[in-house]
Amino acid sequence: MKLALIQMKGTVENDENIAIAVQQIKEAADNGADFVVLPEMFSCPYKTSNFPVYAQRDGDRNWQALSKAASENGVYLVAGSMPEVSDGKIYNTAYAFDRQGNQIGKHRKMHLFDCDIPGGAFFHESETLTAGDSVTTFETEFGTMGLMICFDIRFPELSRLMCEDGAKLVIVPAAFNMTSGPNWWEIMFRTRACDNQFYMAGCAPARDVDASYVAYGHSIVVDPFGKVLSELDEKPGILYQELDLAETEKFRSQYKILKSRRLDIYSLKDIRH
């Protein structure tokens, strides 16, 4: 499969951001992409007070435009993440569509990012967002995919549960900032790939130094050995990477990490709703 990560710079206008994304999806498809990914909160400025203002329901115009883009271009699409409103609550939500535009996955960010760095970032998602409660995987012609959002990557239990559900690639729309990015972006993706012997792909917004929240960029793809296959810098662009998800079994047969676990002593108890 050919993966395309769209590292776009957004605007303050929802409809303009959707139009940019749709154009970039077409460009990726024209360049042979099978699977396209958008960044975290690509439809609005990444600011907690914006999330209730920009939030839409399932099936509203953003959902419809992205479903149509997947169908018209014949690609799988992980539509980054967007603010979603449901029953009076706001979620940070990522939708996945198949080549016909059908929704085949939906993930609400499970771990809300709150930080207060002296002289640096102050950001509390919990001020406006509600945490999701589902481990999200979905099926494609290439195999099982896992889907998480940004801060979710910090918690090894979640990626391990996706591994146990058969995921061969975990996709992460994410917006690390200028403190967390330089320190932990690459480490997190390489570590989770090594932990579970699967591919990891992170799609970030392009850096905008004039924004209230400055994203690190550096969209990335890592293989099951923890090797960085490709990575962008901070500027807008599309990262293309060919993947063969069957390769995960080759890695696992050489280094038997997963088979060597002591499940007689420890295990994860997966509680699903």
Side-chain angles (χ1 to χ4, degrees):
M1 60 175 278
K2 188 173 185 177
L3 178 68
L5 308 180
I6 295 175
Q7 184 166 290
M8 57 179 275
K9 183 185 287 188
T11 75
V12 298
E13 298 293 335
N14 175 88
D15 291 352
E16 186 175 351
N17 291 327
I18 296 299
I20 293 169
V22 168
Q23 185 277 324
Q24 296 272 277
I25 292 165
K26 183 180 186 307
E27 179 180 335
D30 288 346
N31 283 307
D34 299 293
F35 209 106
V36 183
V37 185
L38 296 169
E40 183 181 20
M41 287 295 182
F42 75 95
S43 66
C44 70
Y46 195 31
K47 188 176 182 180
T48 55
S49 60
N50 285 333
F51 300 154
V53 177
Y54 286 77
Q56 296 184 22
R57 297 185 182 278
D58 283 357
D60 281 354
R61 68 184 191 278
N62 284 3
W63 188 100
Q64 292 174 18
L66 295 160
S67 169
K68 182 179 179 181
S71 175
E72 288 185 342
N73 292 286
V75 295
Y76 288 95
L77 173 64
V78 170
S81 77
M82 302 175 285
E84 176 213 355
V85 60
S86 178
D87 297 326
K89 297 177 180 179
I90 310 298
Y91 300 93
N92 184 344
T93 300
Y95 298 99
F97 301 95
D98 67 14
R99 294 185 189 270
Q100 290 74 45
N102 302 307
Q103 182 181 308
I104 54 173
K106 175 181 175 180
H107 180 71
R108 290 170 169 169
K109 190 173 188 177
M110 292 178 64
H111 304 90
L112 301 182
F113 178 60
D114 289 355
C115 74
D116 187 0
I117 303 170
F122 177 88
F123 198 84
H124 283 215
E125 285 188 326
S126 61
E127 290 176 346
T128 55
L129 294 178
T130 297
D133 58 9
S134 295
V135 179
T136 305
T137 59
F138 58 93
E139 298 302 319
T140 74
E141 69 198 72
F142 304 105
T144 305
M145 309 288 184
L147 178 57
M148 63 174 70
I149 300 174
C150 201
F151 197 46
D152 287 339
I153 198 175
R154 284 283 193 167
F155 302 90
E157 298 88 350
L158 180 56
S159 54
R160 177 51 53 86
L161 289 171
M162 291 179 178
C163 175
E164 291 181 351
D165 282 349
K168 301 295 190 295
L169 164 65
V170 171
I171 298 160
V172 193
F176 278 36
N177 60 45
M178 292 306 296
T179 299
S180 58
N183 283 300
W184 303 304
W185 175 260
E186 184 178 308
I187 290 172
M188 286 291 98
F189 281 90
R190 296 183 69 186
T191 301
R192 296 294 162 260
C194 288
D195 285 346
N196 299 287
Q197 297 181 289
F198 54 29
Y199 290 93
M200 294 287 297
C203 186
R207 190 177 306 169
D208 182 355
V209 296
D210 297 320
S212 59
Y213 182 97
V214 181
Y216 180 58
H218 288 262
S219 295
I220 191 170
V221 182
V222 179
D223 77 9
F225 261 11
K227 177 184 176 182
V228 176
L229 297 178
S230 51
E231 183 175 359
L232 295 179
D233 57 17
E234 77 282 2
K235 297 184 289 294
I238 302 178
L239 178 62
Y240 295 99
Q241 181 63 54
E242 296 276 358
L243 297 178
D244 180 358
L245 300 192
E247 289 287 290
T248 56
E249 296 308 320
K250 182 184 78 174
F251 287 105
R252 290 171 180 178
S253 68
Q254 293 174 358
Y255 289 88
K256 305 181 189 303
I257 297 169
L258 295 173
K259 288 185 177 180
S260 298
R261 288 175 296 161
R262 290 294 305 274
L263 300 181
D264 58 320
I265 298 174
Y266 53 78
S267 65
L268 286 176
K269 293 182 179 180
D270 186 11
I271 301 174
R272 306 195 176 183
H273 300 279

